[in-house]
Amino acid sequence: MKDLFDSNALESEAIYIFREVVAQFEKPVLLFSGGKDSITLVRLAQKAFFPAKIPFPLMHIDTGHNFKETIEFRDKLVKELGLDLIIRKVQDTIDQGKVKEESGRYSSRNVLQTTTLLDAIEEFKFDACIGGARRDEEKARAKERIFSVRDDFGQWDEKNQRPELFDMLNGQIDLGQNVRVFPISNWTELDVWTYIEKENLEIPSIYFAHKRAVFMRDGLIWSHSDYVYQDKDEQVEQRMVRFRTVGDMSCTAAVDSYATTISQVVAEIRDSKISERGARIDDKRSEAAMEKRKQQGYF
């Protein structure tokens, strides 16, 4: 099968989407986590508007329980590229009494991000939020459109989305509505890694194999951290691992790996039979966990 990157088909589609966003919306923002998908979005946005500066800010909804390597990389990238970054913290939302900190073995702040995100959208009056979701991540993602309409409560109704025939993107929204935009929704995890390799993009070191203090639970490898609940009988060990996704530490499992270069990661992903979301503990709360979060306003 011909590699799509030979003709830059996926890249060209994403650039077209970025330009449509700026043409059709008043106040777009790029949701940035410091992970590989949002790093890829930044490069695509650079190409879409070069030689001009990216014409919208980045926004990070910070759980406060992030991997330090990701936060350090985020700040480094923003400084090097001269980007505008907005940070809104889940801890502030907790302090305001709008959400309650979870407790117990599977406690996480990942779900709490939704309220912080919706408050930020309202605060800045963003009408288009650009995210790095891909259709191969989780089955609820596959129901999305490229321009995914949210109602005036920030909620998603998968049965009330517009058809996008012949790549025609309709950005008309009613007062109070906004859209989530997914420029790489036709990409796979392997496509993203192939693009990172092709573009020689720098990524956080946590994506590469390294020795880390971890413990096992439910067949998954958890980080030993103050942010992660740990039973007394769960033994900490040093293990060579890497992370396929870099969300909140309390819901992101590691995988055994010796891949220390991008080419080795690409080869590992190509041979993997487990989805990237298989390492996301928050998706295991129920079979429809992601879909319920999206209906409530999660990106």
Side-chain angles (χ1 to χ4, degrees):
M1 183 176 178
K2 185 178 180 181
D3 186 346
L4 281 174
F5 286 109
D6 288 346
S7 61
N8 292 318
L10 293 177
E11 179 186 71
S12 297
E13 179 189 49
I15 287 172
Y16 159 71
I17 294 166
F18 269 113
R19 290 172 177 167
E20 285 296 305
V21 169
V22 171
Q24 296 193 45
F25 295 97
E26 299 278 338
K27 290 199 71 175
V29 65
L30 194 157
L31 302 178
F32 187 80
S33 67
K36 66 185 182 308
D37 297 321
S38 52
I39 292 167
T40 297
L41 288 179
V42 168
R43 172 53 61 90
L44 291 165
Q46 284 182 292
K47 289 194 172 188
F49 304 108
F50 182 83
K53 179 182 175 181
I54 295 176
F56 40 75
L58 277 54
M59 181 165 70
H60 183 208
I61 304 301
D62 185 353
T63 67
H65 291 175
N66 298 284
F67 294 98
K68 66 179 179 63
E69 296 93 333
T70 308
I71 297 301
E72 290 170 357
F73 180 87
R74 177 201 70 187
D75 294 342
K76 178 174 178 284
L77 180 71
V78 167
K79 183 177 180 181
E80 287 180 352
L81 299 183
L83 303 175
D84 298 322
L85 175 66
I86 298 166
I87 301 172
R88 287 297 177 267
K89 299 181 178 181
V90 171
Q91 184 63 56
D92 292 337
T93 309
I94 295 171
D95 293 343
Q96 293 162 8
K98 294 181 177 180
V99 295
K100 185 178 180 180
E101 186 86 79
E102 295 182 355
S103 60
R105 295 183 92 226
Y106 301 101
S107 57
S108 171
R109 286 188 171 183
N110 202 48
V111 175
L112 308 185
Q113 292 182 86
T114 298
T115 300
T116 310
L117 172 61
L118 295 178
D119 284 350
I121 292 172
E122 177 62 26
E123 176 186 355
F124 293 98
K125 306 300 181 187
F126 291 128
D127 54 2
C129 298
I130 305 162
R134 308 183 320 269
R135 295 195 190 281
D136 72 325
E137 283 184 274
E138 202 274 345
K139 58 187 178 182
R141 298 288 202 206
K143 298 179 181 180
E144 287 280 20
R145 300 292 190 265
I146 293 172
F147 281 8
S148 181
V149 179
R150 299 301 200 269
D151 65 20
D152 52 359
F153 296 102
Q155 297 175 332
W156 174 65
D157 180 359
E158 74 278 13
K159 297 178 181 178
N160 190 30
Q161 299 297 318
R162 302 162 179 162
E164 291 176 338
L165 304 175
F166 312 111
D167 293 329
M168 298 296 291
L169 302 176
N170 180 359
Q172 293 186 0
I173 54 176
D174 294 331
L175 183 65
Q177 290 183 331
N178 61 77
V179 301
R180 308 294 165 80
V181 180
F182 303 113
I184 60 172
S185 63
N186 285 327
W187 298 41
T188 65
E189 181 188 11
L190 183 58
D191 290 330
V192 169
W193 278 107
T194 303
Y195 191 72
I196 288 170
E197 183 177 35
K198 172 179 175 284
E199 294 290 312
N200 194 28
L201 297 181
E202 186 179 356
I203 57 174
S205 60
I206 199 153
Y207 279 116
F208 299 116
H210 56 288
K211 188 166 283 190
R212 192 177 192 90
V214 298
F215 66 95
M216 296 296 298
R217 179 193 294 158
D218 301 332
L220 298 173
I221 305 170
W222 301 62
S223 288
H224 173 59
S225 166
D226 292 340
Y227 301 145
V228 181
Y229 178 91
Q230 187 173 343
D231 289 330
K232 292 180 180 178
D233 61 346
E234 290 174 330
Q235 299 297 312
V236 177
E237 60 178 308
Q238 295 290 325
R239 194 161 173 163
M240 283 294 290
V241 299
R242 73 176 193 85
F243 291 84
R244 288 176 70 178
T245 178
V246 292
D248 186 283
M249 286 185 71
S250 60
C251 66
T252 306
V255 295
D256 289 313
S257 177
Y258 288 94
T260 58
T261 66
I262 291 177
S263 60
Q264 289 173 344
V265 170
V266 169
E268 190 176 272
I269 296 299
R270 185 175 286 115
D271 294 338
S272 177
K273 293 179 173 61
I274 300 173
S275 164
E276 173 190 11
R277 299 297 298 196
R280 288 301 293 266
I281 299 155
D282 51 327
D283 286 349
K284 302 182 185 300
R285 295 187 178 210
S286 74
E287 195 168 323
M290 170 65 82
E291 186 154 337
K292 288 180 180 178
R293 292 204 306 277
K294 288 173 66 62
Q295 288 168 349
Q296 294 165 356
Y298 188 75
F299 89 95

